Amino acid sequence: MLRVRALSIPRTGLAVLLACGGEPTRPSVSPPDPPPAQPEFPISGIAVAGMGSYDQAVTDLMRKYDIPGGAIAIVREGRLLYARGFGYADVERRTPVQPDALFRIASVSKPITGVAIMKLVEEGKLTLDDRVAPFVAHLTPAPGATVDPRWEQITIRHLLNHTGGWDRNRPNGGFDPMFRPAIAAAALGAPAPASAETVIRYMKGIPLDFTPGEKHAYSNFGYAILGRVIERVSGMPYEAYVRAHVLEPAGATRTRQGRTRLGEALADEVKYYLPGGNTPTAPSVFPGEGTVPTAYGGFYLEAMDAHGGWVSSTVDLLRFLTAVDGRADRPDILGAALVAEMTSNGATACANGACHYAGGWYVRPTQGDATWWHTGALVGNTSVLVRSSQRISWVALFNAWPTPGSLTGELDAALWNALGQVTSFPAQDLFSTFR
């Protein structure tokens, strides 16, 4: 089963200290009023008999990490058994999260891009061993810049598996170019914030960190390139192709590309916070806008389209997942051979070779089947998508990001534990009750 290593952090809570002075001088004075009761923690959606362990696990974690809102949905054998919203979509307005509320999903976008690439392979427009350079040859580097000759070795498969040659965690200088929109724009004399195309042009002038295929190093930038490959091969904008050929055939019709500014948020999209409903600020990536809430201008979401830009709901993501999971419960939008290819031949991605990364998924082999998953986080959101080897899958989305790495591992363990407490599953299928 999936086990994501969590960082160790102290348990947090609210401590209230009551101090008394001396004896009261007037015994008739009434004692002070008790502190107000904790506000009700709203839960929306149908309560599912026998699955209360999930309600408890999610509310406990959200209270522990002081997360304003979240949503969880669970599929078993192709049927949506459980979909509930927890806490607040908008803290200021006290608007509860609905089960099908829309959230930024961050790097859970990568499986969507991976499936889009496999669709192009299925259509005969691409192979996984095609070289990437010809697809982005029109994106020229800054004048005078020298392109690392190893760009010519990079293949589609390298990008899918994070073995393309960039290491954001390289000691003494590693960085993620997708979070350098001002630097990239300035280097090219291009409009700020930098588009994905501008970031690619900027990176063509910087040497690779390692020879393609040499090792696995997680790379948002590699998936940004895949978005441009999809556009070049399909002749369509990235979002348009993915929606028409992946999401809509899967029934995930509400999934859209997100926007950076709060005023451009989608209808039914939650607001994004730090734990406790706090809203940190940062200099805006848009010139002249000054300081803004970090989630709404501290980074440029539009340039992150193919690696972290989608907005979706738990229900839509499970529609997507059950359309590509290689199981017969619901029709797949990819052939069986391509589903197998998408989740095999990957790069070792976990300690001791316990899992690999292939085609947009972490995959942990098990006897007879495998667990696939992906996680995602940006300032203001946390997301987890799991297709387990036990024929049950789930999605969890939250509108805050606690200490990096702290929530994800504990959430994983809590949901597996909740599953272990379910003795029987309902026969219902809630998919038709949601948009």
Side-chain angles (χ1 to χ4, degrees):
M1 64 179 64
L2 162 63
R3 282 290 179 262
V4 181
R5 183 170 60 89
L7 299 178
S8 176
I9 66 168
R11 186 178 183 90
T12 58
L14 175 64
V16 180
L17 177 64
L18 299 178
C20 297
E23 291 294 321
T25 56
R26 292 188 296 168
S28 61
V29 173
S30 299
D33 292 334
Q38 182 178 4
E40 180 182 358
F41 192 90
I43 303 178
S44 63
I46 300 170
V48 181
M51 298 185 73
S53 56
Y54 285 98
D55 295 347
Q56 190 64 54
V58 175
T59 55
D60 284 350
L61 276 178
M62 289 179 64
R63 285 187 169 126
K64 174 179 177 177
Y65 288 104
D66 210 3
I67 298 172
I72 308 288
I74 301 165
V75 159
R76 183 173 184 266
E77 297 178 347
R79 292 177 292 111
L80 182 65
L81 305 184
Y82 175 105
R84 307 206 78 185
F86 299 84
Y88 294 100
D90 186 320
V91 171
E92 294 78 14
R93 297 182 179 181
R94 310 301 283 177
T95 305
V97 174
Q98 296 303 312
D100 60 349
L102 296 174
F103 292 74
R104 292 176 179 173
I105 64 172
S107 284
V108 173
S109 300
K110 290 182 175 69
I112 296 174
T113 296
V115 171
I117 289 290
M118 301 309 294
K119 286 299 293 184
L120 289 170
V121 172
E122 189 170 62
E123 294 167 4
K125 298 178 179 178
L126 194 66
T127 75
L128 297 185
D129 294 315
D130 283 347
R131 293 185 305 112
V132 168
F135 297 115
V136 293
H138 62 294
L139 299 176
T140 56
T146 300
V147 179
D148 190 322
R150 292 176 294 178
W151 266 86
E152 294 296 328
Q153 302 177 30
I154 303 169
T155 66
I156 301 298
R157 193 187 304 274
H158 287 144
L159 298 185
L160 283 171
N161 297 351
H162 298 294
T163 59
W166 303 280
D167 186 354
R168 63 183 183 178
N169 295 318
R170 177 175 57 85
N172 304 317
F175 65 94
D176 188 334
M178 304 313 299
F179 292 89
R180 287 190 167 190
I183 293 173
L188 273 297
S195 65
E197 291 82 359
T198 296
V199 175
I200 293 170
R201 294 181 62 203
Y202 166 66
M203 289 298 289
K204 278 190 170 183
I206 296 177
L208 272 62
D209 296 314
F210 59 88
T211 298
E214 185 176 83
K215 68 175 185 177
H216 169 88
Y218 191 90
S219 175
N220 288 319
F221 176 62
Y223 270 72
I225 299 173
L226 286 174
R228 313 296 62 84
V229 171
I230 290 168
E231 293 181 331
R232 198 73 172 173
V233 173
S234 70
M236 300 172 64
Y238 167 78
E239 180 178 12
Y241 178 82
V242 175
R243 291 193 62 217
H245 292 262
V246 175
L247 296 171
E248 290 176 2
T253 58
R254 296 177 66 226
T255 303
R256 299 283 197 281
Q257 280 285 296
R259 298 293 180 263
T260 300
R261 293 182 172 102
L262 176 59
E264 298 178 36
L266 299 174
D268 302 322
E269 185 176 354
V270 302
K271 287 185 68 176
Y272 305 105
Y273 303 91
L274 281 184
N278 298 312
T279 52
T281 60
S284 177
V285 296
F286 296 97
E289 291 196 358
T291 299
V292 296
T294 305
Y296 296 106
F299 48 87
Y300 188 39
L301 195 66
E302 285 84 345
M304 301 179 183
D305 56 359
H307 74 79
W310 288 99
V311 171
S312 189
S313 69
T314 57
V315 176
D316 251 21
L317 284 173
L318 285 175
R319 289 184 175 122
F320 160 73
L321 178 59
T322 55
V324 299
D325 64 0
R327 292 173 172 160
D329 305 311
R330 293 168 64 89
D332 278 354
I333 62 171
L334 286 175
L338 281 173
V339 171
E341 179 69 37
M342 179 176 66
T343 55
S344 62
N345 301 314
T348 299
C350 297
N352 302 318
C355 78
H356 63 276
Y357 194 105
W361 304 89
Y362 288 97
V363 182
R364 186 182 301 278
T366 62
Q367 187 172 356
D369 204 347
T371 294
W372 315 347
W373 77 95
H374 216 293
T375 61
L378 286 167
V379 174
N381 69 279
T382 304
S383 51
V384 177
L385 169 65
V386 177
R387 175 239 195 233
S388 84
S389 59
Q390 300 183 21
R391 301 189 68 80
I392 188 165
S393 304
W394 58 85
V395 176
L397 303 174
F398 300 98
N399 64 350
W401 184 24
T403 303
S406 59
L407 172 64
T408 308
E410 195 166 342
L411 173 66
D412 169 53
L415 293 179
W416 278 106
N417 290 338
L419 172 61
Q421 296 176 49
V422 178
T423 57
S424 64
F425 293 94
Q428 66 193 13
D429 183 357
L430 300 176
F431 269 129
S432 63
T433 66
F434 294 101
R435 294 168 289 170

